[in-house]
PDB file of all heavy atoms in Angstrom:
ATOM      1  N   GLN L 484       5.270 -24.241  14.112  1.00  0.00           N
ATOM      2  CA  GLN L 484       4.493 -24.278  15.369  1.00  0.00           C
ATOM      3  C   GLN L 484       3.555 -23.084  15.498  1.00  0.00           C
ATOM      4  O   GLN L 484       2.612 -23.237  16.236  1.00  0.00           O
ATOM      5  CB  GLN L 484       5.466 -24.303  16.552  1.00  0.00           C
ATOM      6  CG  GLN L 484       6.429 -25.463  16.528  1.00  0.00           C
ATOM      7  CD  GLN L 484       5.764 -26.833  16.492  1.00  0.00           C
ATOM      8  OE1 GLN L 484       4.952 -27.167  17.400  1.00  0.00           O
ATOM      9  NE2 GLN L 484       6.103 -27.581  15.447  1.00  0.00           N
ATOM     10  N   LEU L 485       3.844 -22.035  14.828  1.00  0.00           N
ATOM     11  CA  LEU L 485       2.898 -20.833  14.870  1.00  0.00           C
ATOM     12  C   LEU L 485       1.729 -21.017  13.941  1.00  0.00           C
ATOM     13  O   LEU L 485       0.568 -20.780  14.341  1.00  0.00           O
ATOM     14  CB  LEU L 485       3.706 -19.588  14.604  1.00  0.00           C
ATOM     15  CG  LEU L 485       4.499 -18.932  15.702  1.00  0.00           C
ATOM     16  CD1 LEU L 485       5.788 -19.705  15.959  1.00  0.00           C
ATOM     17  CD2 LEU L 485       4.783 -17.472  15.430  1.00  0.00           C
ATOM     18  N   VAL L 486       2.016 -21.343  12.708  1.00  0.00           N
ATOM     19  CA  VAL L 486       0.957 -21.693  11.714  1.00  0.00           C
ATOM     20  C   VAL L 486       1.118 -23.081  11.334  1.00  0.00           C
ATOM     21  O   VAL L 486       1.997 -23.503  10.544  1.00  0.00           O
ATOM     22  CB  VAL L 486       1.089 -20.694  10.472  1.00  0.00           C
ATOM     23  CG1 VAL L 486       0.058 -21.160   9.456  1.00  0.00           C
ATOM     24  CG2 VAL L 486       0.943 -19.313  10.858  1.00  0.00           C
ATOM     25  N   GLU L 487       0.320 -23.967  11.971  1.00  0.00           N
ATOM     26  CA  GLU L 487       0.492 -25.413  11.762  1.00  0.00           C
ATOM     27  C   GLU L 487       0.277 -25.755  10.295  1.00  0.00           C
ATOM     28  O   GLU L 487      -0.507 -25.145   9.611  1.00  0.00           O
ATOM     29  CB  GLU L 487      -0.423 -26.152  12.638  1.00  0.00           C
ATOM     30  CG  GLU L 487      -0.163 -25.971  14.206  1.00  0.00           C
ATOM     31  CD  GLU L 487      -1.019 -26.838  15.069  1.00  0.00           C
ATOM     32  OE1 GLU L 487      -2.159 -27.287  14.563  1.00  0.00           O
ATOM     33  OE2 GLU L 487      -0.626 -27.202  16.159  1.00  0.00           O
ATOM     34  N   PRO L 488       1.028 -26.809   9.818  1.00  0.00           N
ATOM     35  CA  PRO L 488       1.023 -27.145   8.386  1.00  0.00           C
ATOM     36  C   PRO L 488      -0.435 -27.391   7.830  1.00  0.00           C
ATOM     37  O   PRO L 488      -0.637 -27.274   6.651  1.00  0.00           O
ATOM     38  CB  PRO L 488       1.809 -28.413   8.399  1.00  0.00           C
ATOM     39  CG  PRO L 488       2.777 -28.289   9.468  1.00  0.00           C
ATOM     40  CD  PRO L 488       1.983 -27.594  10.595  1.00  0.00           C
ATOM     41  N   ASP L 489      -1.355 -27.736   8.773  1.00  0.00           N
ATOM     42  CA  ASP L 489      -2.682 -27.938   8.328  1.00  0.00           C
ATOM     43  C   ASP L 489      -3.290 -26.693   7.617  1.00  0.00           C
ATOM     44  O   ASP L 489      -4.099 -26.778   6.688  1.00  0.00           O
ATOM     45  CB  ASP L 489      -3.610 -28.302   9.459  1.00  0.00           C
ATOM     46  CG  ASP L 489      -5.073 -28.480   9.073  1.00  0.00           C
ATOM     47  OD1 ASP L 489      -5.394 -29.359   8.326  1.00  0.00           O
ATOM     48  OD2 ASP L 489      -5.891 -27.640   9.535  1.00  0.00           O
ATOM     49  N   GLN L 490      -2.862 -25.509   8.080  1.00  0.00           N
ATOM     50  CA  GLN L 490      -3.452 -24.239   7.469  1.00  0.00           C
ATOM     51  C   GLN L 490      -3.021 -24.024   6.067  1.00  0.00           C
ATOM     52  O   GLN L 490      -3.869 -23.858   5.194  1.00  0.00           O
ATOM     53  CB  GLN L 490      -3.135 -23.113   8.405  1.00  0.00           C
ATOM     54  CG  GLN L 490      -3.788 -23.272   9.766  1.00  0.00           C
ATOM     55  CD  GLN L 490      -4.262 -21.878  10.298  1.00  0.00           C
ATOM     56  OE1 GLN L 490      -4.340 -20.918   9.611  1.00  0.00           O
ATOM     57  NE2 GLN L 490      -4.561 -21.818  11.600  1.00  0.00           N
ATOM     58  N   PRO L 491      -1.732 -23.965   5.741  1.00  0.00           N
ATOM     59  CA  PRO L 491      -1.365 -23.855   4.322  1.00  0.00           C
ATOM     60  C   PRO L 491      -1.805 -25.022   3.489  1.00  0.00           C
ATOM     61  O   PRO L 491      -2.115 -24.902   2.255  1.00  0.00           O
ATOM     62  CB  PRO L 491       0.139 -23.718   4.319  1.00  0.00           C
ATOM     63  CG  PRO L 491       0.597 -24.207   5.686  1.00  0.00           C
ATOM     64  CD  PRO L 491      -0.539 -23.955   6.580  1.00  0.00           C
ATOM     65  N   TYR L 492      -1.897 -26.203   4.063  1.00  0.00           N
ATOM     66  CA  TYR L 492      -2.408 -27.389   3.300  1.00  0.00           C
ATOM     67  C   TYR L 492      -3.834 -27.247   2.895  1.00  0.00           C
ATOM     68  O   TYR L 492      -4.197 -27.498   1.754  1.00  0.00           O
ATOM     69  CB  TYR L 492      -2.250 -28.654   4.186  1.00  0.00           C
ATOM     70  CG  TYR L 492      -2.587 -29.956   3.483  1.00  0.00           C
ATOM     71  CD1 TYR L 492      -1.667 -30.574   2.709  1.00  0.00           C
ATOM     72  CD2 TYR L 492      -3.820 -30.482   3.580  1.00  0.00           C
ATOM     73  CE1 TYR L 492      -1.924 -31.757   2.031  1.00  0.00           C
ATOM     74  CE2 TYR L 492      -4.175 -31.674   2.908  1.00  0.00           C
ATOM     75  CZ  TYR L 492      -3.207 -32.299   2.161  1.00  0.00           C
ATOM     76  OH  TYR L 492      -3.543 -33.491   1.503  1.00  0.00           O
ATOM     77  N   ARG L 493      -4.639 -26.621   3.778  1.00  0.00           N
ATOM     78  CA  ARG L 493      -6.042 -26.386   3.440  1.00  0.00           C
ATOM     79  C   ARG L 493      -6.147 -25.331   2.328  1.00  0.00           C
ATOM     80  O   ARG L 493      -7.040 -25.439   1.479  1.00  0.00           O
ATOM     81  CB  ARG L 493      -6.787 -25.977   4.674  1.00  0.00           C
ATOM     82  CG  ARG L 493      -7.041 -27.148   5.673  1.00  0.00           C
ATOM     83  CD  ARG L 493      -7.420 -26.661   7.009  1.00  0.00           C
ATOM     84  NE  ARG L 493      -8.689 -25.894   7.028  1.00  0.00           N
ATOM     85  CZ  ARG L 493      -9.103 -25.143   7.976  1.00  0.00           C
ATOM     86  NH1 ARG L 493      -8.300 -24.985   9.043  1.00  0.00           N
ATOM     87  NH2 ARG L 493     -10.260 -24.506   7.923  1.00  0.00           N
ATOM     88  N   LEU L 494      -5.265 -24.350   2.394  1.00  0.00           N
ATOM     89  CA  LEU L 494      -5.291 -23.359   1.310  1.00  0.00           C
ATOM     90  C   LEU L 494      -4.886 -23.975   0.003  1.00  0.00           C
ATOM     91  O   LEU L 494      -5.465 -23.663  -1.026  1.00  0.00           O
ATOM     92  CB  LEU L 494      -4.339 -22.169   1.660  1.00  0.00           C
ATOM     93  CG  LEU L 494      -4.252 -21.083   0.592  1.00  0.00           C
ATOM     94  CD1 LEU L 494      -5.591 -20.318   0.438  1.00  0.00           C
ATOM     95  CD2 LEU L 494      -3.150 -20.082   0.889  1.00  0.00           C
ATOM     96  N   TRP L 495      -3.903 -24.852   0.090  1.00  0.00           N
ATOM     97  CA  TRP L 495      -3.460 -25.539  -1.205  1.00  0.00           C
ATOM     98  C   TRP L 495      -4.596 -26.381  -1.823  1.00  0.00           C
ATOM     99  O   TRP L 495      -4.833 -26.319  -2.998  1.00  0.00           O
ATOM    100  CB  TRP L 495      -2.345 -26.538  -0.771  1.00  0.00           C
ATOM    101  CG  TRP L 495      -1.771 -27.362  -1.937  1.00  0.00           C
ATOM    102  CD1 TRP L 495      -1.097 -26.918  -3.023  1.00  0.00           C
ATOM    103  CD2 TRP L 495      -1.824 -28.754  -2.058  1.00  0.00           C
ATOM    104  NE1 TRP L 495      -0.731 -27.987  -3.781  1.00  0.00           N
ATOM    105  CE2 TRP L 495      -1.188 -29.127  -3.202  1.00  0.00           C
ATOM    106  CE3 TRP L 495      -2.380 -29.772  -1.192  1.00  0.00           C
ATOM    107  CZ2 TRP L 495      -1.059 -30.488  -3.615  1.00  0.00           C
ATOM    108  CZ3 TRP L 495      -2.236 -31.071  -1.587  1.00  0.00           C
ATOM    109  CH2 TRP L 495      -1.584 -31.412  -2.794  1.00  0.00           C
TER     110      TRP L 495
END
Side-chain angles (χ1 to χ4, degrees):
Q484 303 302 302
L485 277 77
V486 176
E487 294 187 335
D489 176 66
Q490 295 218 14
Y492 185 84
R493 289 163 62 195
L494 180 65
W495 178 67

